[in-house]
Amino acid sequence: MEVGRPKRGDFVFVSAASGAVEQVVGQLAKIAGCYVVGSAGSDEKVNLLKTRFGFDDSFNYKSETNDLAAALRRRLPDGIDIYFDSVGGATLDAASLQMYQGGRVVVCGTISQYNLKEPNGVCNLHCIIPKAVRVEGLNVTGYFNMYARFEEEMAGYLTEGKVAVVEDVVEGIESAPAALVGLFSGRNVGKQLVVLARD
Ligand SMILES: NC(=O)c1ccc[n+]([C@@H]2O[C@H](COP(=O)([O-])OP(=O)(O)OC[C@H]3O[C@@H](n4cnc5c(N)ncnc54)[C@H](OP(=O)(O)O)[C@@H]3O)[C@@H](O)[C@H]2O)c1
């Protein structure tokens, strides 16, 4: 809301869209009146985006690796007003080509890059110049002062059934390393949680 500044009718693209952060982003964008497209790494997740989270469209980026930009053009032919980026690399490059005039790129994460010895270069940033696109990093620690407001709003959405939550729960501290590593191959479906003890 603060960085992407969604307006009714905006076209929004969310990558890694079934994940913990992104499932909330997409649903809040829908509540704000946007048209929301998400990408994810399996057909199960792609289906979840439309059936549970109410995205308008979704696609499996692993089936579109030959031309990610074309996949975005097909689904967002008029351009992207807001790209919420958790992935970086090739996805950011493809989205940069498709940004609309005055668009916003919210850079939340670059998970495709974290384990590379040499991060991929992003080649298409020249496209954002004529379109005056704003690219801004988002760090959650800068927004803790708004947490109480977020909690109140989100509690309302959950109670009213306007926001759905999908969690991927594993049991025990011994499961934590595999759960963490699984984030990098998309093994989690929804927010990854590790239960340490149950009452
Ligand atoms: N800026 C901040 O303050 C802040 C705070 C928390 C998290 N983050 C960032 O937000 C992002 C999401 O975190 P999260 O906790 O919500 O995790 P998450 O989205 O629940 O899990 C990570 C997901 O990333 C996708 N992924 C992994 N490798 C990928 C690749 N090479 N290309 C494309 N997608 C890939 C996988 O989904 P698929 O199956 O769809 O590939 C995986 O399920 C991360 O980049 C994280 O670093 C930022």
Side-chain angles (χ1 to χ4, degrees):
M1 294 298 162
E2 300 299 308
V3 183
R5 298 179 200 162
K7 300 185 304 298
R8 181 164 292 281
D10 275 353
F11 292 102
V12 176
F13 171 51
V14 184
S15 53
S18 69
V21 171
E22 304 82 4
Q23 60 176 264
V24 174
V25 168
Q27 291 181 93
L28 292 182
K30 282 303 301 169
I31 290 170
C34 303
Y35 181 90
V36 182
V37 176
S39 64
S42 74
D43 291 344
E44 179 195 3
K45 291 182 181 183
V46 165
N47 189 38
L48 199 63
L49 295 179
K50 287 204 262 195
T51 55
R52 286 295 301 279
F53 301 135
F55 282 50
D56 296 287
D57 205 351
S58 55
F59 65 95
N60 184 342
Y61 69 89
K62 288 180 181 166
S63 317
E64 304 273 7
T65 44
N66 282 344
D67 200 343
L68 211 45
L72 285 173
R73 261 197 316 277
R74 278 199 303 279
R75 289 167 179 91
L76 293 155
D78 295 330
I80 301 169
D81 294 295
I82 303 173
Y83 170 39
F84 191 94
D85 186 21
S86 293
V87 167
T91 312
L92 174 58
D93 233 10
S96 299
L97 287 172
Q98 198 55 17
M99 293 305 295
Y100 189 66
Q101 192 72 33
R104 288 80 72 199
V105 179
V106 183
V107 183
C108 174
T110 58
I111 198 164
S112 71
Q113 306 295 298
Y114 296 154
N115 294 316
L116 299 181
K117 283 206 176 88
E118 291 196 17
N120 302 136
V122 174
C123 306
N124 294 328
L125 282 183
H126 60 278
C127 297
I128 71 172
I129 298 168
K131 293 177 181 164
V133 171
R134 179 166 53 82
V135 180
E136 185 172 338
L138 176 153
N139 184 347
V140 69
T141 58
Y143 296 90
F144 284 158
N145 61 330
M146 299 178 70
Y147 189 74
R149 197 179 102 195
F150 168 78
E151 198 174 36
E152 193 183 328
E153 273 180 31
M154 193 53 101
Y157 294 142
L158 290 169
T159 311
E160 294 163 32
K162 287 187 176 164
V163 167
V165 177
V166 173
E167 294 175 340
D168 188 328
V169 182
V170 295
E171 301 278 339
I173 188 69
E174 64 284 359
S175 307
L180 175 62
V181 172
L183 295 178
F184 297 96
S185 59
R187 209 183 70 169
N188 61 310
V189 180
K191 183 183 179 80
Q192 182 69 67
L193 296 174
V194 179
V195 175
L196 300 183
R198 290 189 190 276
D199 290 338

